[in-house]
Every structure is written in C-alpha cells, then in structure tokens.
Amino acid sequence: MTTIGLIGSGNIGGTVARLAIAAGYDVVLSNSRGPETLADLVAELGPKARAARAADAAAAGDIVVVTVPLKAYRAVPAEPLAGKVVIDTNNYYPARDGQIAELDNGTATSSGLLQEHLGTAKVVKGFNNIWSQHLGEQGRPAGAADRPALPIFGDDAAAKRTVTQFLDAIGWDAVDGGDLAESWRSQPDTPVYGTPYREGPADAAAIRALLDKAER
C-alpha cells in the first residue's frame, strides 16, 4: 500500500500526513473548504502530497484516515470508501457535536456510527487518544526500547493488521483493544486519553494496562 487518503487535514490529519510521507507513502489531503485551501500544507509536505476533494482523496487512498468532527460524519463519502480500510480518529464532544442519544446512553460508539454510515468500509479506531504534538514527536524506530504504542479497535482482523503495519511504518506499536464496541475505552476522560504521552513515549504494556482500567 502506497497512498494514504485524508478526509480532514487539521492537526491530527496534517501530522499523520507528515509521518506517512517520511515513511515513504504518498498522501492525498482534503478538507471541507476545498483543495485550494490546502496549498500551503501541500507545499510544505512536498512532491509526495497533493490536495483533492474528499471523494477523490477517499478514492485515491489505499488506507483512508477520517479526521473530521463527529457532527460531520454523515458527510464522509461512503461510495469511494467501499471495502477500504478507514482509520477513524474521532471523539465525541457534546459541546461541539451536540447531544447524541446513543452515545450518551452507551448503546453505540462514535466509530460504530461511522461504520454504520460507511457500510462495507472496514473502520478501525485510531489516533484519537493522542495530541498531535505527541504523535509527531514521539515515534521511534522498530526495536527501540522506548517505542510508543497507540490503541486500535476494529471489527475486521485483516483491517487491524493493515493499520498495525501502517503504525509500525510511522514509528508506533499498536495495541489491539478489541472490536468497535470496545472503543469507548480510548474516548475522552478515560485513562488512556492524552495522559500517558505527557511524560514521553508510553509503551504497549502501559497502554494495555490503561485500557483495562477504563470504566463506563
């Protein structure tokens, strides 16, 4: 796999793009405002990056990272993502997204909502529990004693393997937290959200322990 599509190119999306290019991937960036608004970022990233509309970024990507506010998830183009591996970075923030009853009562997860919207795409939750600065700075080569880890969740085992390989390429180990129904374990206000990276890289054992401590 050689191309990463990005639907949303803010702090997390831009950081993932930088890491992907450093690892040898091509990236196709998009946002809600149009490709012309990404000219500065594309110029910074260099010849392995280009900007497109969301549907084109979705079509171009071997892996597609969806990093838009949860309230906009229904605008993510489903047809060009059919059958593809999709990394969902989203979190539910009621003050931004409005109240969503099935998330408030725990009968759904934000990634589960995206999976339902996308149909045959293979959604894997990732990159949602870390600040972009930490993501950009803390990656380490494979085998490094202080290599950090990120939790992932998904219903498709092959898709999780694909995302694990991508994380490995950009300097991170992956901790499989279970299926999408378990992805609440990395949402805001859980032990693994943000905190473990504040003092430096957190390894797979530390991330696993924090996931296990999560309570609904």
Side-chain angles (χ1 to χ4, degrees):
M1 294 190 176
T2 60
T3 301
I4 307 299
L6 292 118
I7 299 176
S9 300
N11 291 335
I12 289 291
T15 300
V16 172
R18 291 181 184 92
L19 295 174
I21 287 172
Y25 294 89
D26 295 322
V27 301
V28 182
L29 302 122
S30 69
N31 63 16
S32 62
R33 295 174 293 145
E36 65 281 356
T37 66
L38 294 167
D40 289 346
L41 179 57
V42 168
E44 174 197 333
L45 294 172
K48 293 184 75 65
R50 66 180 176 91
R53 300 199 177 277
D56 296 325
D62 298 302
I63 300 171
V64 179
V65 181
V66 172
T67 179
V68 300
L70 178 61
K71 63 183 178 182
Y73 81 90
R74 291 185 180 88
V76 175
E79 184 175 351
L81 292 173
K84 292 195 175 188
V85 175
V86 172
I87 303 177
D88 173 36
T89 78
N90 218 330
N91 288 306
Y92 173 43
Y93 301 108
R96 177 195 67 185
D97 301 314
Q99 299 296 143
I100 301 175
E102 56 263 57
L103 299 182
D104 292 336
N105 64 28
T107 59
T109 64
S110 57
S111 290
L113 294 179
L114 181 63
Q115 178 67 78
E116 183 179 359
H117 168 66
L118 293 181
T120 63
K122 301 165 185 176
V123 173
V124 177
K125 187 78 162 186
F127 297 124
N128 71 297
N129 73 311
I130 188 168
W131 309 132
S132 59
Q133 179 181 352
H134 296 157
L135 178 62
E137 294 175 350
Q138 293 184 9
R140 301 288 189 271
D146 61 344
R147 199 177 208 213
L150 290 165
I152 62 171
F153 302 83
D155 296 339
D156 185 281
K160 287 193 282 189
R161 287 194 295 270
T162 295
V163 173
T164 296
Q165 292 166 1
F166 175 58
L167 290 179
D168 180 58
I170 65 172
W172 292 76
D173 288 336
V175 175
D176 187 345
D179 59 22
L180 291 180
E182 292 294 308
S183 61
W184 61 269
R185 293 182 179 275
S186 67
Q187 69 188 9
D189 301 322
T190 60
V192 82
Y193 181 80
T195 303
Y197 310 103
R198 290 177 184 168
E199 303 301 323
D203 66 14
I207 297 304
R208 171 68 65 191
L210 292 171
L211 290 175
D212 290 343
K213 289 181 180 179
E215 297 180 355
R216 296 196 92 154

